[in-house]
């Protein structure tokens, strides 16, 4: 036998074995890091979701919500891959799906706060009527909980439960103001604090606060009506390039494929994404008028 040939065969086998071991170690390391990262993401997601859901009095299992979240990400990524055939677009769609639960929870919280802000003027008038009828503030708040509807009734009931556990009225009002970061709630809490500390007419103070909040809500409604066209423009301007890109990919797949296969195409996509983002943010800043 040829010693050189044997040495070459042995060297090839050793090299192949070393490469295989290195590849296996690399794959194990990537899988291990991915598992750890997924576990940390799961812990952070469930903790944040549990906190946000409890703030809105929604009692759901965060683990089940996390499983639905993963299923949604996989479904959106797969559908984007089959629809476009481009993996960068599928990755972008999957990344957008990752943000959907956070955006949904934020939207639910904003909707709940808006509902509370709409309920607050009538609630203050009911409380002022209870004060004029001779009831104490605690009895008036209990009457308000019985007559009002969620979500405001839930927050007032929680404040009364804190008082029954020994929390002072001033601290309970402070906690209510912290849970509900609204200017209207801050105004109502300040009116109740001032009236209870100075001994003034609480019913009159609540009626003035209710009138102020009604005027504020009416002004905000007019502003929303006047800026609706600008908000619609932001939606149209933001979605038009994406729709046009999808149509051109179906009409000219060969030419549009260069966007996802060349460095210049990737640069164009990055520039497009940045311009889209800053354009939508700029329009939203223009139409966002604070009262």
């Amino acid at each position: 036998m040829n010693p050189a040939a044997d040495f070459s065969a042995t060297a090839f086998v050793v090299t192949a074995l070393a490469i295989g071991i290195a590849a296996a170690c690399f794959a194990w390391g990537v899988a291990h890091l991915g598992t750890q990262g997924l576990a940390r993401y799961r812990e952070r997601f469930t903790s944040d979701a549990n906190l946000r859901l409890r703030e809105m009095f929604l009692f759901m299992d965060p683990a089940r919500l996390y499983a639905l979240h993963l299923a949604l990400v996989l479904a959106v990524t797969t559908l984007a891959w089959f629809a476009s055939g481009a993996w960068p677009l599928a990755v972008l769609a999957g990344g957008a799906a990752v943000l959907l639960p956070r955006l949904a929870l934020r939207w639910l919280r904003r909707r709940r706060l808006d509902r509370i802000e709409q309920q607050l003027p009538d609630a203050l008038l009911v409380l002022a009527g209870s004060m004029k009828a001779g009831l104490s503030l605690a009895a008036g708040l209990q009457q308000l909980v019985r007559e009002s509807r969620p979500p405001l009734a839930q927050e007032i009931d929680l404040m009364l439960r804190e008082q029954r556990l020994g929390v002072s009225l001033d601290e309970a009002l402070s906690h209510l103001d912290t849970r509900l970061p609204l200017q209207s709630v801050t105004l109502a809490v300040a009116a109740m604090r001032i009236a209870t500390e100075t001994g003034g007419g609480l019913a009159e103070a609540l009626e003035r606060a209710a009138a102020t909040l009604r005027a504020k809500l009416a002004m905000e409604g007019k502003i929303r009506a006047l800026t609706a066209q600008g908000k619609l423009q932001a939606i149209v301007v933001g979605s038009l390039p994406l729709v046009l890109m999808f149509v051109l990919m179906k009409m000219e797949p060969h030419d549009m494929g260069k966007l996802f296969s060349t460095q210049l195409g990737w640069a164009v996509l990055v520039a497009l994404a940045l311009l889209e983002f800053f354009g939508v943010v700029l329009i939203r800043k223009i139409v966002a008028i604070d009262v």
Side-chain angles (χ1 to χ4, degrees):
M1 297 180 62
N2 190 356
D6 293 340
F7 177 78
S8 299
T10 304
F12 176 78
V13 172
V14 172
T15 304
L17 184 60
I19 293 175
I21 293 174
C25 292
F26 178 76
W28 178 85
V30 171
H32 183 67
L33 291 176
T35 303
Q36 287 185 341
L38 192 62
R40 286 195 296 267
Y41 177 73
R42 181 181 185 276
E43 181 180 359
R44 186 171 66 251
F45 179 89
T46 53
S47 176
D48 185 62
N50 186 35
L51 178 61
R52 291 177 179 272
L53 290 173
R54 287 183 179 274
E55 286 179 351
M56 295 182 290
F57 291 82
L58 296 175
F59 303 101
M60 300 173 59
D61 187 9
R64 181 175 299 178
L65 187 63
Y66 174 75
L68 293 175
H69 169 54
L70 288 184
L72 176 64
V73 172
L74 292 176
V76 170
T77 305
T78 305
L79 289 176
W81 169 259
F82 282 113
S84 63
W87 65 265
L89 190 59
V91 171
L92 290 177
V98 171
L99 301 177
L100 284 179
R102 185 182 299 272
L103 296 177
L105 290 175
R106 186 179 301 177
W107 178 77
L108 288 175
R109 176 171 171 78
R110 182 69 258 174
R111 185 180 178 184
R112 187 172 187 272
L113 292 177
D114 290 340
R115 179 61 179 166
I116 290 175
E117 199 167 21
Q118 294 290 334
Q119 289 179 303
L120 195 57
D122 293 335
L124 292 180
L125 290 178
V126 171
L127 189 58
S130 300
M131 298 293 100
K132 289 183 177 180
L135 297 179
S136 63
L137 180 58
L141 290 174
Q142 293 176 359
Q143 181 70 20
L144 177 62
V145 170
R146 288 192 294 267
E147 294 184 1
S148 60
R149 301 177 62 184
L152 182 61
Q154 295 171 333
E155 296 292 343
I156 301 299
D157 185 55
L158 180 58
M159 186 180 71
L160 293 175
R161 290 174 183 269
E162 289 181 346
Q163 283 190 278
R164 287 195 289 269
L165 292 176
V167 179
S168 64
L169 176 61
D170 188 71
E171 291 182 359
L173 290 173
S174 178
H175 295 166
L176 177 65
D177 191 17
T178 303
R179 290 195 306 271
L180 303 176
L182 296 170
Q183 293 181 356
S184 56
V185 175
T186 302
L187 177 62
V189 169
M192 285 187 280
R193 280 180 170 178
I194 293 173
T196 53
E197 290 178 1
T198 60
L202 180 57
E204 290 76 8
L206 293 176
E207 288 179 345
R208 288 194 296 269
T212 302
L213 294 180
R214 283 186 183 277
K216 179 176 178 292
L217 291 175
M219 181 62 66
E220 288 179 347
K222 292 180 180 179
I223 291 175
R224 282 195 298 269
L226 293 174
T227 57
Q229 182 179 357
K231 294 178 180 179
L232 180 61
Q233 182 180 359
I235 297 174
V236 173
V237 171
S239 59
L240 183 59
L242 301 177
V243 174
L244 183 61
M245 180 187 300
F246 181 78
V247 173
L248 290 177
M249 286 180 62
K250 293 299 182 182
M251 296 177 60
E252 298 291 340
H254 177 70
D255 294 334
M256 290 297 293
K258 296 179 181 179
L259 280 176
F260 308 102
S261 60
T262 61
Q263 295 182 355
L264 181 60
W266 296 339
V268 171
L269 290 176
V270 171
L272 176 64
L274 291 177
L275 291 175
E276 282 277 318
F277 174 76
F278 287 116
V280 172
V281 169
L282 181 61
I283 294 177
R284 290 182 63 88
K285 288 292 184 182
I286 292 174
V287 300
I289 302 174
D290 191 13
V291 180

